[in-house]
Coordinates of all heavy atoms in Angstrom, one line a residue:
R3 N 25.3 4.6 3.1 CA 23.9 5.1 2.9 C 22.9 4.1 3.6 O 21.9 4.5 4.2 CB 23.5 5.3 1.5 CG 24.2 6.5 0.9 CD 23.4 7.3 -0.1 NE 22.0 7.5 0.2 CZ 21.4 8.5 0.9 NH1 22.2 9.3 1.6 NH2 20.1 8.6 1.1
L6 N 22.3 4.7 7.2 CA 21.6 6.0 7.7 C 20.2 5.7 8.1 O 19.5 4.8 7.6 CB 21.6 7.0 6.5 CG 22.9 7.6 6.1 CD1 22.8 8.5 4.9 CD2 23.6 8.4 7.2
V72 N 10.7 4.5 1.6 CA 11.2 4.9 0.3 C 12.7 5.3 0.4 O 13.0 6.2 1.2 CB 10.4 6.1 -0.2 CG1 10.9 6.5 -1.5 CG2 8.9 5.7 -0.2
I73 N 13.5 4.6 -0.3 CA 14.9 4.9 -0.3 C 15.2 5.9 -1.5 O 14.8 5.6 -2.6 CB 15.8 3.6 -0.5 CG1 15.5 2.7 0.7 CG2 17.3 3.9 -0.7 CD1 16.1 1.3 0.6
W74 N 15.8 7.0 -1.1 CA 16.1 8.0 -2.1 C 17.3 7.6 -3.0 O 18.3 7.2 -2.5 CB 16.4 9.4 -1.4 CG 15.4 9.9 -0.5 CD1 14.0 9.8 -0.6 CD2 15.6 10.6 0.7 NE1 13.4 10.4 0.4 CE2 14.3 10.9 1.3 CE3 16.7 11.1 1.4 CZ2 14.1 11.7 2.4 CZ3 16.5 11.8 2.6 CH2 15.3 12.1 3.1
N75 N 17.1 7.9 -4.3 CA 18.3 7.7 -5.1 C 19.1 9.0 -5.2 O 18.6 10.1 -4.8 CB 17.8 7.2 -6.5 CG 17.0 8.2 -7.3 OD1 17.1 9.4 -7.1 ND2 16.2 7.7 -8.2
P76 N 20.3 9.0 -5.8 CA 21.1 10.2 -5.8 C 20.5 11.4 -6.5 O 20.8 12.6 -6.2 CB 22.4 9.8 -6.6 CG 22.4 8.3 -6.4 CD 21.0 7.8 -6.3
T77 N 19.5 11.2 -7.4 CA 18.9 12.3 -8.1 C 17.7 12.9 -7.4 O 17.0 13.8 -7.8 CB 18.5 12.0 -9.5 OG1 17.5 10.9 -9.5 CG2 19.7 11.5 -10.3
W78 N 17.3 12.3 -6.2 CA 16.1 12.7 -5.5 C 16.2 14.1 -5.0 O 15.3 14.9 -5.2 CB 15.9 11.8 -4.3 CG 14.8 12.3 -3.4 CD1 13.5 12.1 -3.5 CD2 15.0 13.0 -2.2 NE1 12.8 12.8 -2.4 CE2 13.8 13.3 -1.6 CE3 16.2 13.5 -1.5 CZ2 13.6 14.1 -0.4 CZ3 16.0 14.3 -0.3 CH2 14.7 14.5 0.2
A79 N 17.3 14.5 -4.5 CA 17.5 15.8 -3.9 C 17.6 16.9 -4.9 O 18.6 16.9 -5.7 CB 18.7 15.8 -3.0
K80 N 16.6 17.8 -4.9 CA 16.6 18.9 -5.9 C 17.0 20.3 -5.2 O 17.7 21.1 -5.7 CB 15.2 19.0 -6.5 CG 14.8 17.8 -7.2 CD 15.4 17.5 -8.5 CE 14.8 16.4 -9.3 NZ 15.3 15.1 -9.0
T81 N 16.4 20.5 -4.0 CA 16.6 21.8 -3.3 C 17.7 21.6 -2.3 O 18.2 20.5 -2.0 CB 15.3 22.2 -2.5 OG1 15.1 21.2 -1.5 CG2 14.1 22.2 -3.5
E82 N 18.2 22.8 -1.8 CA 19.3 22.7 -0.8 C 18.8 22.0 0.4 O 19.6 21.2 1.0 CB 19.7 24.2 -0.5 CG 20.5 24.8 -1.6 CD 21.7 24.0 -2.1 OE1 22.5 23.5 -1.3 OE2 21.8 23.9 -3.3
K83 N 17.6 22.2 0.8 CA 17.0 21.5 2.0 C 17.0 20.0 1.8 O 17.4 19.3 2.7 CB 15.6 22.0 2.3 CG 15.0 21.5 3.5 CD 13.6 22.1 3.7 CE 12.9 21.6 4.9 NZ 11.5 22.2 5.1
Q84 N 16.7 19.6 0.6 CA 16.7 18.1 0.3 C 18.1 17.6 0.3 O 18.3 16.5 0.7 CB 15.9 17.9 -1.0 CG 14.4 18.1 -0.9 CD 13.8 17.9 -2.3 OE1 14.4 18.2 -3.3 NE2 12.5 17.6 -2.3
K85 N 19.0 18.4 -0.3 CA 20.4 17.9 -0.3 C 21.0 17.7 1.1 O 21.7 16.8 1.3 CB 21.2 18.9 -1.1 CG 20.9 18.9 -2.6 CD 21.6 19.9 -3.4 CE 21.2 19.9 -4.9 NZ 21.7 21.0 -5.6
L86 N 20.6 18.6 2.0 CA 21.0 18.4 3.4 C 20.4 17.1 4.0 O 21.1 16.4 4.7 CB 20.7 19.6 4.2 CG 21.5 20.8 4.0 CD1 21.0 22.0 4.8 CD2 23.0 20.6 4.5
R87 N 19.1 16.9 3.7 CA 18.4 15.7 4.2 C 19.1 14.4 3.7 O 19.2 13.4 4.3 CB 17.0 15.8 3.9 CG 16.2 16.8 4.7 CD 14.8 17.0 4.3 NE 14.0 15.8 4.7 CZ 12.9 15.5 4.2 NH1 12.3 16.2 3.2 NH2 12.2 14.4 4.6
Y88 N 19.4 14.5 2.4 CA 20.0 13.3 1.7 C 21.3 12.9 2.4 O 21.6 11.7 2.5 CB 20.3 13.7 0.3 CG 20.8 12.5 -0.6 CD1 19.9 11.6 -1.1 CD2 22.1 12.3 -0.8 CE1 20.3 10.5 -1.8 CE2 22.6 11.2 -1.6 CZ 21.7 10.3 -2.0 OH 22.1 9.2 -2.8
K89 N 22.1 13.8 3.0 CA 23.3 13.5 3.7 C 23.0 12.8 5.0 O 23.9 12.0 5.5 CB 24.1 14.7 3.9 CG 24.7 15.3 2.6 CD 25.5 16.6 2.9 CE 25.9 17.3 1.6 NZ 26.6 18.5 1.9
S90 N 21.8 13.0 5.6 CA 21.6 12.5 6.9 C 20.6 11.3 7.0 O 20.6 10.6 8.0 CB 20.9 13.6 7.8 OG 21.8 14.7 7.9
F91 N 19.9 11.1 5.9 CA 18.9 10.0 5.9 C 19.0 9.3 4.6 O 19.3 9.8 3.6 CB 17.5 10.6 6.0 CG 17.2 11.4 7.3 CD1 17.3 12.8 7.3 CD2 17.0 10.7 8.5 CE1 17.1 13.5 8.5 CE2 16.7 11.5 9.7 CZ 16.8 12.8 9.6
Q92 N 18.6 8.0 4.6 CA 18.6 7.2 3.4 C 17.3 7.3 2.7 O 17.2 6.9 1.5 CB 18.9 5.7 3.7 CG 18.0 4.9 4.5 CD 18.3 3.4 4.5 OE1 18.4 2.8 3.5 NE2 18.6 2.9 5.7
G93 N 16.2 7.8 3.4 CA 14.9 7.9 2.7 C 13.8 8.2 3.7 O 14.1 8.6 4.9
D94 N 12.6 8.1 3.3 CA 11.4 8.3 4.1 C 10.8 7.0 4.6 O 10.7 6.1 3.9 CB 10.3 9.0 3.2 CG 10.6 10.5 2.9 OD1 10.8 11.2 3.9 OD2 10.6 10.8 1.7
D139 N 9.6 8.1 -11.5 CA 11.1 8.0 -11.3 C 11.4 6.9 -10.3 O 10.6 6.6 -9.4 CB 11.6 9.3 -10.8 CG 11.5 10.4 -11.8 OD1 11.4 10.1 -13.0 OD2 11.5 11.6 -11.4
D140 N 12.6 6.3 -10.4 CA 13.0 5.2 -9.5 C 12.9 5.6 -8.1 O 12.5 4.9 -7.2 CB 14.4 4.7 -9.8 CG 14.5 3.9 -11.1 OD1 13.4 3.4 -11.5 OD2 15.6 3.8 -11.6
G141 N 13.2 6.9 -7.8 CA 13.3 7.4 -6.4 C 11.9 7.5 -5.7 O 11.9 7.6 -4.5
I142 N 10.8 7.6 -6.5 CA 9.5 7.8 -5.9 C 8.5 6.7 -6.3 O 7.3 6.8 -6.0 CB 9.0 9.2 -6.2 CG1 8.8 9.4 -7.7 CG2 9.8 10.2 -5.6 CD1 7.9 10.5 -8.1

Side-chain angles (χ1 to χ4, degrees):
R3 287 216 41 86
L6 292 174
V72 178
I73 297 172
W74 301 327
N75 66 22
T77 61
W78 169 83
K80 305 282 190 269
T81 67
E82 290 306 313
K83 185 177 177 180
Q84 288 173 334
K85 289 174 185 174
L86 286 172
R87 289 175 71 201
Y88 185 80
K89 291 177 184 177
S90 301
F91 300 98
Q92 65 172 300
D94 285 307
D139 294 338
D140 287 343
I142 63 164

